[in-house]
Amino acid sequence: TGNQMWGGRFAAGPSAIMEAINASIDVDRRLWREDIMGSRAHARMLAAQGIISSDDLAAIETGLEQVAAEIEEGSFPFSAALEDIHMNVEARLKEIIGEPAGRLHTARSRNDQVATDFRLWVRTACLRMDALLADLQKALLGQAERHAATVMPGFTHLQTAQPVTFGHHCMAYVEMFARDRQRFTDAVNRMNECPLGAAALAGTSFPIDRDATAAALAFDRPTANSLDTVSARDFAVEAVSAAAISAMHISRLAEEIVIWCTAQFNFIRLPDDYSTGSSIMPQKRNPDAAELCRAKVARIIGDLNGLMIMLKGLPLAYSKDMQEDKEQTFDAFDALELCLRAMAGMVSGMSVNEARMRAAAGHGFSTATDLADWLVRELNLPFRDAHHVTGALVAIAEEKGCDLAELSLDDMQSVHGEIAADVFSVLTVDHSVASRTSYGGTAPDNVRAQIARWKELMKGP
Ligand code: ARG
């Protein structure tokens, strides 16, 4: 009838609905590795401190190994009546080794146990995202290298602005994803303190060694306040917020891919293995993966909101509300992982239509700024006046239905008499990008230097 973990004072078991609302095993079973890792570290510390015997430790270690093997091979009897992963593991340990299993929970509570397991999981997840982001950066670097000098239109307001290179565009995302990686490693550094030993909320009267468990689980140190330890979930909020920011960046690249793939733009072609067809329209190559990358950010931001709203207003210390932290965190990291893998696949497999990009780069009076700059440099006009003269020339070209480079010298001189034939040399897209040599600018040599810098940075120690 009563619960074998805490049923001492209960005469009856829970109602079916109580059990259903209380059970988290379907979600938190994913913490099984971390739970066993934490239990092993705790048991070893208890034995080293003389709190349990070495025989008990040996039994616990053997039993935990068997539990791990059963979960790994899929024969473990998960039970909703046992609520969560912590009680499932401990109950099975008891079936396997008997009485010593009951000593494992000495000087421990599920409150510090779950805080430890969850931190370990989030830490690993952050490091996994960092590695996947590095893969995506490498895919972008590969395209940037191939297309350091491939001219494309640069946009503001999605209106043609000035020519840039596709390599420069790829490198913009390399920078964004680098900051995303820093956010994950910052989160890891801040969360890297061990909760074990905070016990239920107040610490414990047993002579435990928190430095030992912290070191065994590769934390930098134990947490300093037991109440904070079992109450805090900001480590998860911070990690999911890093995930949301990264997914937001991915969604922007995804949107560009969707646009670039259209027949109207036709800048890139996605590889077959990242395209889908239509059941009715045979000509279709749909960028579904990019669209889903664009969409997934929504649920990740939703997960972040859910976490924060769940935590706001909770009194110290642990409340069962906090059990809801895992589903959203797992969901956010699952979604981001898919996006990162799909995006790396699309980026490394996409082929670039250089001729189309170049042609588009020349349309829309994209070198008008170069013309204005020429007037400043050669005729010493103030930039505002040069802007005005150029605007009048754009109006003439627009009226004639031609590009700036196709205007005659007479047309040019009708607006400003001192314009010389030499002006035409700055109106090509190649001249335009090659002239943008200021640090961080789009000149192909700059782009190549940035690629080299990133390849060096990413070599690692
Ligand atoms: N399954 C619980 C959770 O995820 C574990 C902690 C339960 N602690 C408690 N005092 N009921 O939050």
Side-chain angles (χ1 to χ4, degrees), residues 152-156 158-163 267 356-371 390-391 393-395 397-398 401-406 427 429 432:
M152 72 181 283
F155 300 94
T156 60
L158 201 55
Q159 304 281 315
T160 301
Q162 294 173 356
F267 282 3
R356 271 291 305 185
M357 276 189 182
R358 162 175 291 273
H363 293 147
F365 312 111
S366 66
T367 55
T369 316
D370 300 82
L371 174 50
T390 308
L393 289 169
V394 166
E398 212 162 26
C402 69
D403 279 328
L404 281 174
E406 290 159 1
L427 297 182
V429 293
S432 176

Side-chain angles (χ1 to χ4, degrees), residues 22 24 28 31 83-86 109-111 114 233 318-326:
N22 208 29
S24 58
D28 63 27
L31 294 176
E83 278 188 48
D84 57 22
I85 186 62
H86 324 291
S109 154
R110 267 191 298 157
N111 296 347
V114 72
R233 292 293 182 271
Y318 178 85
S319 297
K320 195 64 175 251
D321 309 51
M322 289 158 70
Q323 177 164 280
E324 293 283 310
D325 56 5
K326 286 164 224 66

Side-chain angles (χ1 to χ4, degrees), residues 286-335:
N286 291 330
D288 292 39
E291 295 167 83
L292 287 162
C293 284
R294 188 173 59 186
K296 292 274 185 203
V297 62
R299 64 189 298 150
I300 299 176
I301 294 171
D303 292 327
L304 175 61
N305 272 309
L307 264 181
M308 301 230 287
I309 296 167
M310 178 275 285
L311 286 165
K312 76 166 281 298
L314 283 188
L316 305 192
Y318 178 85
S319 297
K320 195 64 175 251
D321 309 51
M322 289 158 70
Q323 177 164 280
E324 293 283 310
D325 56 5
K326 286 164 224 66
E327 193 164 8
Q328 324 207 40
T329 306
F330 293 163
D331 182 74
F333 279 97
D334 288 348

Side-chain angles (χ1 to χ4, degrees), residues 8 36 41 53 83 100 113 131 168 184 196 206 211 258 281 296 323 346 374 416 445 450:
I36 287 173
S53 71
E83 278 188 48
Q113 187 178 359
H168 197 53
F184 280 118
L196 262 188
F206 289 98
D211 291 310
V258 170
M281 298 165 284
K296 292 274 185 203
Q323 177 164 280
M346 284 186 281
W374 184 91
H416 194 291
D445 284 345
Q450 288 299 326

Side-chain angles (χ1 to χ4, degrees), residues 59-113:
I60 288 169
E61 293 210 90
T62 321
L64 287 175
E65 252 166 56
Q66 185 177 325
V67 169
E70 290 178 5
I71 297 178
E72 193 102 59
E73 77 186 22
S75 65
F76 186 90
F78 286 107
S79 148
L82 290 165
E83 278 188 48
D84 57 22
I85 186 62
H86 324 291
M87 302 227 283
N88 269 268
V89 168
E90 193 183 322
R92 181 72 187 126
L93 187 66
K94 181 141 194 252
E95 284 173 8
I96 300 168
I97 67 170
E99 194 242 45
R103 301 187 186 276
L104 171 60
H105 214 51
T106 314
R108 188 176 72 171
S109 154
R110 267 191 298 157
N111 296 347
D112 61 336
Q113 187 178 359

